Amino acid sequence: MKRLFAIASAFGLTIAGAAAAEYPERPIEMIVAYSAGGGTDTAARTLAPFIEKYLGEGATITVVNRPGAGGEVGFTELSRARPDGYTIGFINTPNILSIPIARQTRYSMDSIQAVSNVVDDAGAFNVLPNSPFTTLDELVAYAKENPGSVTYGTSGVGGDDHLAVLQFERLTGISMTHVPFSGAADVRAAVMGGHIAMAGLNISEAASLVNEGELIALGQMGEKRWTGAPDVPTFQEQGYDLVMGSSRGIGAPAGIPKEALNALQEAIAKTVEDPEFLAAAEKQDLPLDFQNAADFQAKLDELDSNLQTLWKEDPWVK
């Protein structure tokens, strides 16, 4: 009897282990906190089929748009979902961090678990070739001699481009004048038309104009140079300790089961090495930067600390 019990117990453990390894057993919902057709939505819909592929046969992911309040609506829904692995979402920096700093929100980062980062679109300062400054050092010197005279455009107050300039001003002791626009396209048009002196854009948003010689990128704010702009030095290479951009990755409600977290990480890691996905990402100018849950969470924590400090010293919402 003992032998039969031992065999039955071992068999039971095997069945239990197999059941746990069957994730996902039903469709997964991926929340996108921005409108359909935007950059985040396009990236999410490009990514989803590959995650399905590497999660295994029968896996399905439905992308659901929950736009509003700069991302707060979608982030709140993600944070309040059941932490069972069947609700995940695209999370964007700095918005997911800066919104709770600037105002009362219905979510906090304690309720969201980082899963994997996918995209890291570094910030960049861009000027016309005939600008009086074409390097960061020249920008600093010019701005010190002409306080407030350098106008710069971004796609909105509190966005990554605006926060990047605020941090740069704090690092260098200069003062420039912010001109907010409704989106990157408007910022590009303004700098190309000479209506502003400098454009704060993500490196991918200006890469084609820089490569064609229509704009000069003073630097990119990644920890390393993006392969799509290999000739543009980083800020750190030029002596300015500034890393800022828009990271886009996958998050889940805090408390997601370990087996689901591991399965998602593995599927995303395989996705960013898939030649078909890499071709699609290149076509969309997506600067890929895979990070596992631990590394992505550490990056979010560091950025949150930096933004908290920046808010205390120079709030971006007055």
Side-chain angles (χ1 to χ4, degrees):
M1 289 294 292
K2 289 182 179 179
R3 179 181 175 84
L4 289 173
F5 180 79
I7 292 172
S9 297
F11 183 73
L13 288 172
T14 301
I15 294 297
E22 287 176 358
Y23 171 86
E25 298 177 315
R26 62 180 190 272
I28 298 169
E29 183 175 272
M30 179 189 288
I31 297 171
V32 173
Y34 300 95
S35 301
T40 299
D41 178 69
T42 300
R45 293 179 188 275
T46 301
L47 186 69
F50 291 92
I51 300 178
E52 292 176 342
K53 172 182 175 181
Y54 290 112
L55 280 176
E57 186 176 353
T60 60
I61 297 176
T62 302
V63 176
V64 179
N65 299 92
R66 294 288 187 266
E72 182 182 350
V73 171
F75 299 148
T76 299
E77 184 168 329
L78 175 64
S79 72
R80 294 182 174 182
R82 184 185 298 275
D84 55 9
Y86 292 95
T87 301
I88 59 177
F90 244 70
I91 57 177
N92 308 57
T93 66
N95 305 57
I96 197 166
L97 301 170
S98 61
I99 291 173
I101 293 174
R103 64 176 186 255
Q104 288 286 98
T105 57
R106 295 169 292 161
Y107 77 92
S108 72
M109 283 307 295
D110 291 338
S111 58
I112 296 175
Q113 162 74 52
V115 175
S116 296
N117 190 54
V118 180
V119 172
D120 188 11
D121 202 355
F125 290 170
N126 306 272
V127 299
L128 290 172
N130 63 357
S131 169
F133 45 86
T134 56
T135 68
L136 290 179
D137 286 344
E138 290 176 356
L139 166 61
V140 172
Y142 185 91
K144 285 184 175 180
E145 292 177 4
N146 305 275
S149 67
V150 176
T151 54
Y152 69 93
T154 76
S155 51
V157 173
D160 58 300
D161 303 311
H162 181 216
L163 298 181
V165 175
L166 293 181
Q167 289 211 44
F168 188 73
E169 289 178 322
R170 182 164 58 91
L171 280 173
T172 58
I174 63 174
S175 175
M176 299 184 285
T177 300
H178 185 209
V179 183
F181 292 87
S182 60
D186 294 331
V187 178
R188 282 194 298 267
V191 73
M192 293 296 293
H195 306 298
I196 54 175
M198 186 175 77
L201 295 164
N202 292 118
I203 187 66
S204 71
E205 295 171 330
S208 60
L209 292 171
V210 171
N211 291 337
E212 292 165 6
E214 296 186 51
L215 284 177
I216 292 175
L218 306 186
Q220 55 181 305
M221 300 174 205
E223 293 180 351
K224 57 185 177 181
R225 299 187 189 191
W226 174 43
T227 55
D231 297 328
V232 179
T234 68
F235 275 53
Q236 289 182 328
E237 287 178 78
Q238 300 178 73
Y240 300 94
D241 189 15
L242 178 55
V243 176
M244 178 64 82
S246 179
S247 291
R248 280 173 269 170
I250 301 297
I256 179 176
K258 187 175 181 180
E259 62 270 17
L261 177 62
N262 290 341
L264 288 165
Q265 284 188 100
E266 184 177 347
I268 297 168
K270 290 179 178 177
T271 292
V272 298
E273 294 181 350
D274 186 297
E276 187 179 350
F277 175 76
L278 291 174
E282 183 176 1
K283 187 175 181 180
Q284 295 176 29
D285 280 333
L286 293 179
L288 300 177
D289 180 28
F290 172 79
Q291 293 177 346
N292 63 24
D295 291 341
F296 189 22
Q297 188 63 60
K299 181 174 184 175
L300 292 175
D301 292 342
E302 181 180 7
L303 178 57
D304 184 57
S305 177
N306 290 340
L307 293 179
Q308 295 278 3
T309 299
L310 181 62
W311 175 260
K312 290 175 183 177
E313 294 182 357
D314 187 10
W316 51 87
V317 179
K318 306 299 184 183

